Amino acid sequence: MTRALLLAAAATFGLSATAASAQPRQPLTLERVFAAPSLSGPVPRMVKLSPDGRLATLLRNRPDDTERYDLWAIDPATGQMRMLVDSKKVGSGAALSEAARMQQERARTANIKGIVSYEWAPDGKSLLVPLDGDLYLASLDGQVRRLTDSKDTELDGTVSETGRFVSFVADHELHVINLADGRAAKITDGASETVSWGLAEFIAQEEMKRTRGHWWSPDDRRIAVARVDESGVEVATRAAIGAEKTTVVQQRYPRAGTDNAKVDLYLMNPDGSGKVKADLGTNPDVYLTRVDWMKDGRSLIVQRQTRDQKRLDYLRVDAATGASTLLFSDTSPTWINLHEDLRPLEDGSLLYSSEKSGHRHLYRWAKGRSTPLTSGPWAFGEVVGLDEKAGKLFFTANRERTIEYQLYSLDYRKRGAKPVQLTPNGTNNSVTMDKSGKLAVITSRSVTQPAQVWLADAAGKRLAWIEENRLAAGHPFAPYYDPRIAPTYGKLTAADGKTQLDYSLILPPGLQERGGKAPVLMTVYGGPTAQDVQTGFSGALNQYLVQRGWILFQVVNRGEEGRGVAFQQPAYRALGGVEVADQLAALKWLKAQPFVAGDKVAVSGWSYGGYMVLKLLQAAPGAFAAGISGAPVTKWELYDTHYTERYMGDPRTDGDAYAKASALTDATKITDPLMVIHGLSDDNVLFQNSTELMAKLQEAKVPFETMVYPGKTHAVAGPNISVHRYGTMLRFLERNGIAPAK
């Protein structure tokens, strides 16, 4: 970044000159990196705007407990913030059911406490708050009304569109509360241990980003309800090993090549009457991926995906009869990436996104014809807002730079209209908007500033801070922050000799000036649902590592998102192939840099990254000084259907591809120091992945180290656990002679 751009970024985000030029006054420790208060500053979660745009709400962690969140509101007009619901005063402290805990695991909120989700009532007068297994309705005057009080955990609480009803699932059945009298009624029947109403199944939550299982019509006259039958899904016996006890969990887990849950969709009235089954076709082995009501409430759009994920159908379903009509389909010779961009319009037309041009772009379907609204060699991120009266839509995209997502507006009714950029270059942004498309909540990051959250109008002008988080005197990071420790970004050539790959590099201060060399910690993920390198702030853990003398490096390999079909789909039926080749090409480039100690490059990764570490050590023995593999997928037949089959096909017919992609096939080729880390209650990447690897390495007398965490799921985290985990990793590297000079 040039000095002019750096100063511009500092001015834009309020970074004081003093903070920008000051050297750290205190050295960081691992304990301080993960302790409260968070060095990243206040970390708001789930920032939402009220339906009328008069309030912004968010979950805010407590200064004395970074893992506990309360519900707060901020008045954009005055900037005043107040707590709406104190999780310590309202909650009962009751334990959540297994189903609720697994939902939190799917949402990646299992490691936080207090309020983990909430929902505005459409009338903007109250908010629905699930807490400790029960449902509460919080009004804006600070009053909290308890809606349920039972031993069962109420799941998926939802306020109906008119605000007259609240629906939830208990004991696998859908219930509806009439808020006028507070009475709850069960409106479905026939549930069992394997049949549920109104809930999203495991695959939908984990892989399809569909967390809902029932949907209210705009006028509250009908509800679309998913009926899930898991009786045909294979039962995986999983031992959840805790510190004090071991629980044997019988989990319905659809491994690749096995049966999925059977999902049907029903339409019914709020009292359960008038029930009809939606016609989703004659093939039961499909995915129900999305459900959206049309504006008139008389029909809904269902997105149906084939099992091989090469076809996505858009069905219009009649709300009264369940009859369906195929409107159009999106197809691919490899796979279709799902999206959340569908927006039904008042005139009956639809906005949706597709990658049929080679990059994800937005289209408008009307009267049997689709018209492109955006185009070009860049990636459309997501639709974030729509002002139908003004004919404007708002979306994010990496149009200017592949590693940065900006907010854009588009006059979608004007033929040939060009997107208008609303956020500044040098920042990376995520955005939500109110229903009218008039106000936006923008979370923005840069290399000089941790996340800031602010309210903007439809032109992108900042109206008020929600969380300024200004990195200046008084910020918790200020005593430790060294502004010289910041990522630089560049491009290097992939293994194919032509494709350019984005990388990030962070060097210890003064390393190049001194002419020295330093060891490298190369972090890898590499999976097809990620874009690893994006503009951002070098946080506390990175500052700690670099202050200790580490070089940090990461590169985006082919197969990842954000660069279009041609960049992503070489990984089709070949996971662990092109990604490994590109990471090794990046390693070669890295070792050629004069400041790198070429014999001291370690590689570390988690989940898909843990898998990549194993494949890298197998593909190039001796290239890395050591590898740390966390929660690795070692055998793709052990992972779930929707994710695995999307990229690898069906193991029953594509067995050779699975064998080649496996991290077990060539495991005995590993000769470099290896550490394997896994949570003993992981229900995502089952611990069996690591035990099969361990057994194979032991049988072949291949040495390795391991660290397991009792009671921890896929996210091995927490203030003390994180200190232990990273301390263990660093001591492993030190024992193997890979450590910065003291």
Side-chain angles (χ1 to χ4, degrees):
M1 177 179 282
T2 65
R3 178 172 174 77
L5 286 175
L6 180 60
L7 292 175
T12 301
F13 292 97
L15 179 64
S16 72
T18 301
S21 60
Q23 302 300 310
R25 299 190 299 273
Q26 299 179 28
L28 268 172
T29 64
L30 269 181
E31 286 74 13
R32 184 61 195 92
V33 166
F34 296 106
S38 171
L39 293 182
S40 298
V43 184
R45 299 176 66 99
M46 298 190 70
V47 181
K48 299 181 181 182
L49 287 165
S50 62
D52 56 15
R54 290 190 298 176
L55 279 180
T57 48
L58 63 148
L59 299 180
R60 197 174 188 216
N61 53 342
R62 302 171 81 96
D64 61 342
D65 188 348
T66 58
E67 294 182 297
R68 175 172 285 278
Y69 284 78
D70 303 305
L71 180 61
W72 289 71
I74 182 171
D75 185 338
T78 64
Q80 292 184 335
M81 183 177 288
R82 58 193 171 93
M83 185 186 290
L84 286 179
V85 182
D86 185 330
S87 65
K88 285 193 172 182
K89 292 182 178 179
V90 174
S92 64
L96 293 177
S97 68
E98 180 70 13
R101 289 197 314 103
M102 290 302 98
Q103 277 198 354
Q104 289 193 10
E105 181 70 20
R106 303 283 80 75
R108 307 299 187 255
T109 59
N111 62 323
I112 69 174
K113 298 176 292 187
I115 300 171
V116 300
S117 65
Y118 69 95
E119 178 182 321
W120 271 99
D123 60 8
K125 296 179 180 178
S126 59
L127 302 99
L128 186 67
V129 181
L131 185 58
D132 297 339
D134 284 306
L135 298 176
Y136 298 82
L137 200 64
S139 58
L140 303 184
D141 61 2
Q143 299 298 311
V144 179
R145 172 185 175 187
R146 186 168 189 165
L147 298 180
T148 64
D149 186 3
S150 69
K151 294 181 180 180
D152 294 326
T153 296
E154 282 72 45
L155 300 173
D156 287 9
T158 304
V159 182
S160 69
E161 291 298 311
T162 68
R164 291 181 295 165
F165 305 104
V166 167
S167 53
F168 63 89
V169 177
D171 198 22
H172 302 288
E173 302 278 15
L174 185 64
H175 297 69
V176 172
I177 301 174
N178 187 325
L179 290 179
D181 58 20
R183 293 181 180 178
K186 180 172 71 71
I187 68 167
T188 60
D189 55 58
S192 66
E193 287 301 311
T194 59
V195 174
S196 64
W197 288 91
L199 289 176
E201 72 276 20
F202 171 89
I203 284 294
Q205 294 179 45
E206 180 64 33
E207 305 299 356
M208 295 191 288
K209 296 182 180 179
R210 176 170 67 78
T211 60
R212 310 300 306 176
H214 63 279
W215 303 263
W216 286 91
S217 68
D219 54 12
D220 282 1
R221 293 184 179 180
R222 301 286 275 172
I223 318 174
V225 185
R227 180 185 183 275
V228 177
D229 182 354
E230 294 186 296
S231 59
V233 178
E234 186 177 90
V235 176
T237 301
R238 173 173 60 86
I241 304 173
E244 298 177 349
K245 67 176 182 178
T246 296
T247 304
V248 177
V249 178
Q250 300 290 328
Q251 178 182 349
R252 298 278 175 176
Y253 188 92
R255 293 185 302 110
T258 67
D259 290 343
N260 279 315
K262 186 176 183 296
V263 182
D264 293 308
L265 187 68
Y266 286 80
L267 288 304
M268 62 190 70
N269 298 327
D271 61 359
S273 65
K275 184 186 300 181
V276 295
K277 184 178 179 182
D279 179 9
L280 301 184
T282 58
N283 182 5
D285 197 13
V286 294
Y287 294 109
L288 174 69
T289 64
R290 300 287 185 268
V291 176
D292 293 275
W293 282 93
M294 296 295 284
K295 289 294 185 74
D296 60 11
R298 291 184 292 184
S299 62
L300 55 160
I301 304 299
V302 173
Q303 295 179 49
R304 176 187 66 191
Q305 190 180 45
T306 55
R307 173 75 181 251
D308 64 9
Q309 301 181 57
K310 294 182 179 183
R311 181 185 179 98
L312 182 66
D313 297 322
Y314 291 76
L315 305 175
R316 190 201 305 270
V317 177
D318 185 277
T321 67
S324 66
T325 303
L326 176 64
L327 299 182
F328 60 96
S329 301
D330 204 358
T331 61
S332 168
T334 53
W335 74 83
I336 297 286
N337 285 313
L338 298 178
H339 65 84
E340 297 182 71
D341 298 325
L342 185 73
R343 297 294 187 278
L345 302 181
E346 292 285 356
D347 63 3
S349 64
L350 304 172
L351 300 179
Y352 74 101
S353 66
S354 169
E355 292 180 296
K356 59 187 176 183
S357 71
H359 290 83
R360 178 171 299 285
H361 281 295
L362 197 69
Y363 295 80
R364 185 177 184 179
W365 178 90
K367 299 178 180 179
R369 181 182 177 185
S370 288
T371 303
L373 300 179
T374 62
S375 61
W378 46 274
F380 185 94
E382 61 177 343
V383 174
V384 296
L386 175 67
D387 183 349
E388 196 166 353
K389 290 182 179 179
K392 280 193 173 184
L393 65 89
F394 301 85
F395 64 91
T396 57
N398 63 358
R399 188 169 182 257
E400 310 302 317
R401 196 179 182 197
T402 55
I403 61 173
E404 292 177 0
Y405 285 82
Q406 307 296 345
L407 174 64
Y408 297 86
S409 66
L410 178 70
D411 292 326
Y412 66 87
R413 292 175 184 164
K414 295 181 180 179
R415 184 181 297 272
K418 300 298 183 183
V420 177
Q421 185 176 338
L422 304 180
T423 46
N425 290 333
T427 66
N428 197 26
N429 304 275
S430 56
V431 184
T432 61
M433 296 190 76
D434 69 345
K435 289 185 177 181
S436 69
K438 296 291 195 301
L439 294 171
V441 173
I442 300 176
T443 301
S444 192
R445 299 168 177 82
S446 74
V447 295
T448 59
Q449 173 62 49
Q452 295 183 300
V453 186
W454 41 290
L455 185 70
D457 63 16
K461 179 183 177 182
R462 190 177 73 230
L463 302 176
W465 288 111
I466 292 176
E467 203 68 79
E468 185 178 7
N469 198 23
R470 186 167 176 256
L471 185 51
H475 192 284
F477 204 1
Y480 310 98
Y481 175 60
D482 186 339
R484 299 171 300 169
I485 299 176
T488 58
Y489 302 99
K491 293 183 182 293
L492 57 85
T493 304
D496 65 358
K498 57 182 181 180
T499 304
Q500 295 298 293
L501 308 176
D502 294 305
Y503 72 81
S504 68
L505 182 70
I506 308 178
L507 301 180
L511 178 65
Q512 289 179 284
E513 291 79 0
R514 295 191 303 270
K517 295 178 181 287
V520 180
L521 185 57
M522 182 171 167
T523 303
V524 61
Y525 182 76
T529 58
Q531 186 180 351
D532 290 334
V533 175
Q534 296 185 40
T535 297
F537 183 71
S538 182
L541 181 59
N542 283 353
Q543 289 266 330
Y544 169 78
L545 293 169
V546 177
Q547 285 180 16
R548 288 172 61 91
W550 286 97
I551 295 172
L552 304 181
F553 178 76
Q554 192 165 23
V555 65
V556 173
N557 51 248
R558 285 173 295 158
E560 293 193 44
E561 289 184 332
R563 294 279 298 275
V565 172
F567 188 86
Q568 187 180 38
Q569 294 190 345
Y572 183 58
R573 297 194 180 180
L575 294 184
V578 66
E579 314 99 288
V580 169
D582 283 353
Q583 292 287 336
L584 291 177
L587 177 65
K588 182 178 180 181
W589 175 89
L590 185 66
K591 287 185 174 183
Q593 305 310 304
F595 45 79
V596 169
D599 61 341
K600 294 184 178 181
V601 180
V603 62
S604 174
W606 196 267
S607 195
Y608 198 101
Y611 163 73
M612 284 288 290
V613 168
L614 299 174
K615 295 292 283 186
L616 285 166
L617 297 186
Q618 294 165 18
F624 291 95
I628 301 172
S629 174
V633 178
T634 63
K635 183 178 178 180
W636 286 108
E637 292 91 335
L638 294 176
Y639 206 60
D640 67 56
T641 52
H642 194 269
Y643 183 98
T644 309
E645 293 175 9
R646 183 188 321 158
Y647 310 118
M648 290 297 298
D650 192 321
R652 293 169 292 190
T653 57
D654 299 299
D656 290 344
Y658 275 76
K660 187 175 181 180
S662 172
L664 298 178
T665 303
D666 293 326
T668 57
K669 292 182 179 180
I670 295 175
T671 60
D672 304 305
L674 169 66
M675 170 168 277
V676 179
I677 305 174
H678 215 129
L680 289 177
S681 296
D682 195 334
D683 75 319
N684 182 349
V685 178
L686 303 180
F687 187 54
Q688 182 182 346
N689 283 273
S690 283
T691 59
E692 290 204 24
L693 172 69
M694 293 171 185
K696 185 158 187 177
L697 294 177
Q698 290 163 350
E699 182 65 27
K701 297 180 289 187
V702 175
F704 65 96
E705 296 187 33
T706 188
M707 177 58 66
V708 294
Y709 287 90
K712 294 301 178 182
T713 56
H714 197 52
V716 177
N720 294 331
I721 294 299
S722 293
V723 171
H724 186 275
R725 174 182 155 192
Y726 283 98
T728 298
M729 293 165 61
L730 292 174
R731 287 189 292 273
F732 164 74
L733 296 176
E734 290 171 359
R735 285 195 301 276
N736 286 282
I738 318 160
K742 298 292 186 182

